[in-house]
Amino acid sequence: MLCLRELQRWKPVLCRYGNTGVRSFAAAAGEAGRTEDGLVNMENPYREPQKGCVLCDVTVDFKNIQLLSQFISPHTGRIYGRHITGLCGRKQKEVSKAIKKAQSMGFMSVTHKNPQFMKDPNVCGIKHLD
Amino acid sequence: MPRYELALILKQMQRPETAAVLRRTVETLMERGALVRDLENLGERQLPYRMTKHNQRHSRGTYFLVDFYAAPSMLAGLLDHLHRDVDVVRPTVLKKDAQVPNSNCCGPQK
C-alpha cells in the first residue's frame, strides 16, 4: 500500500514523454502510424541496397574452367574457403561442387592451376607473396 | 525421359578417325533407344593430367559433349560399352537438371 503511494508520487517524473496512460494509447496508435512517443513508423531511409556476392547473376558450370580456376590456389590447386572468396553460401557450394566435378571428369587439374589462367584478375581477397 | 549429358574425352587422332568414333558412339546411343539432342565439340587441348587408359598414356585429347534423352536403365550398359572402346579416354554421363532461377540469390533486387 505504501509503495503504491510512492509510485504515484514519482509518476509525473517517470512519465515525462507526454501522454503515457492506458487511456491515451488507442488514440495515439490511430494517427498516421505514430508510436506513443511521437516517432513515425517508416523504413530506414539510410538503408543501403543489399550487396551481392561476385557470382550473383552468373551461372556456374563445370565446363567453364577459367571461372572455376579463379577460386583455387595457383600453387596447390586447393579450393579457397568462404572467408577468402567472399561468396554467399549457395554460390560457394555450387563452385565447390563444379570444381570437384570438373576435376573428376578430366576438365580441370587437381594439383595446380592451368598456366593459361595465371594472369586472370584476382577475385578472391587473397594476396600472394610473389 | 530424363536428360543426360555425355562428356567424352577422345584420344588424339586424325580427323576421319575422330569422326568415325563419334559416329559409332552416336549410333550406339540410338540403338539403345536414346534421342540425341546435341553434339558439341569443345576442342582439342592438353589434358589437365596424364590419363592412362587401355595401356596407353594420354596427354592430349579432344573433348566432346553429347546431350541426349534416355531411359535410366540403359546408362549402365552404355558406360560399360564406352569404357571398352579403345579410342575413348574418359566417358562421363551426367544428369542435366533444369536451371534453378537466380531470382532469389543474394544481391540487389532488380
Side-chain angles (χ1 to χ4, degrees), chain B residues 85-105:
Chain B
D85 192 338
V86 189
D87 297 318
V88 169
V89 175
R90 191 167 290 197
T92 320
V93 176
L94 289 176
K95 201 161 70 157
K96 199 152 187 163
D97 288 321
Q99 296 298 321
V100 178
N102 288 339
S103 56
N104 52 348
C105 195

Side-chain angles (χ1 to χ4, degrees), chain A residues 19 21-39:
Chain A
N19 300 334
V22 181
R23 269 175 283 162
S24 56
F25 181 79
E31 38 169 274
R34 282 175 185 270
T35 60
E36 303 167 357
D37 302 340
L39 297 168

Side-chain angles (χ1 to χ4, degrees), chain A residues 60-63 65 68 79 94-108, chain B residues 5 49 90 92-97:
Chain A
V60 174
D61 207 4
F62 67 89
K63 294 165 244 169
I65 50 170
L68 296 176
I79 308 175
E94 273 179 41
V95 165
S96 189
K97 287 277 185 191
I99 291 174
K100 295 303 282 181
K101 210 189 267 189
Q103 283 171 349
S104 92
M105 290 166 68
F107 279 72
M108 204 161 115
Chain B
E5 208 168 32
Y49 43 87
R90 191 167 290 197
T92 320
V93 176
L94 289 176
K95 201 161 70 157
K96 199 152 187 163
D97 288 321

Side-chain angles (χ1 to χ4, degrees), chain B residues 21-103:
Chain B
V21 175
L22 279 174
R23 191 191 179 82
R24 66 166 184 259
T25 309
V26 173
E27 271 173 12
T28 312
L29 273 171
M30 297 205 294
E31 265 170 44
R32 287 161 194 266
L35 186 70
V36 179
R37 185 193 157 107
D38 197 15
L39 173 62
E40 276 173 41
N41 181 359
L42 303 172
E44 201 231 312
R45 36 175 141 143
Q46 185 160 37
L47 299 178
Y49 43 87
R50 275 180 229 127
M51 298 178 201
T52 309
K53 193 85 183 178
H54 305 290
N55 288 324
Q56 271 184 316
R57 206 116 187 266
H58 305 273
S59 55
R60 290 196 73 88
T62 327
Y63 287 73
F64 287 97
L65 214 56
V66 187
D67 256 342
F68 60 97
Y69 292 106
S73 50
M74 62 82 107
L75 286 180
L78 172 74
L79 266 174
D80 188 54
H81 179 271
L82 286 170
H83 278 299
R84 285 175 208 276
D85 192 338
V86 189
D87 297 318
V88 169
V89 175
R90 191 167 290 197
T92 320
V93 176
L94 289 176
K95 201 161 70 157
K96 199 152 187 163
D97 288 321
Q99 296 298 321
V100 178
N102 288 339
S103 56

